[in-house]
Amino acid sequence: MKLWVDDVRPAPKGYRWCKTVNSAIQFIETHEALYRHGDVHEPIELIDLDHDAGDCYCGGGDYIRILDWLEFTNRNYTIRIHSMNPVGVQNMRAIIQRN
């Protein structure tokens, strides 16, 4: 299962699409619980992130907050960044490399 987090660009085929930080975190937590209990059979194999949440900012901030949350909760997932914001990408990569 792959998770696509972006406010504007639709998810590629085969991805679950979340538009806000809060909805992405809720999805990850729910999917983990369902996977542990055997209700879903695919783990999350990839989280593909944009940086700027645009109009969806009010749902938890920019998407770098997902990386902050993953770090804080000691979760480890494969991350891909598809942002066009070079400074945002650099900041996101710093968090990923730290973990």
Side-chain angles (χ1 to χ4, degrees), residues 7-69:
D7 60 318
V8 177
R9 288 171 282 216
K13 185 177 176 133
Y15 281 73
R16 168 66 190 253
W17 186 13
C18 290
K19 293 184 179 183
T20 69
V21 169
N22 294 340
S23 66
I25 289 171
Q26 181 180 11
F27 176 80
I28 293 166
E29 290 178 328
T30 301
H31 192 86
E32 288 174 344
L34 292 171
Y35 182 72
R36 274 193 309 273
H37 291 100
D39 296 328
V40 295
H41 303 291
E42 292 181 272
I44 297 171
E45 65 182 80
L46 175 69
I47 300 175
D48 203 325
L49 299 171
D50 187 13
H51 178 274
D52 303 311
D55 289 341
C56 295
Y57 184 87
C58 62
D62 284 325
Y63 303 124
I64 194 169
R65 297 293 156 240
I66 295 169
L67 296 177
D68 292 335
W69 174 77

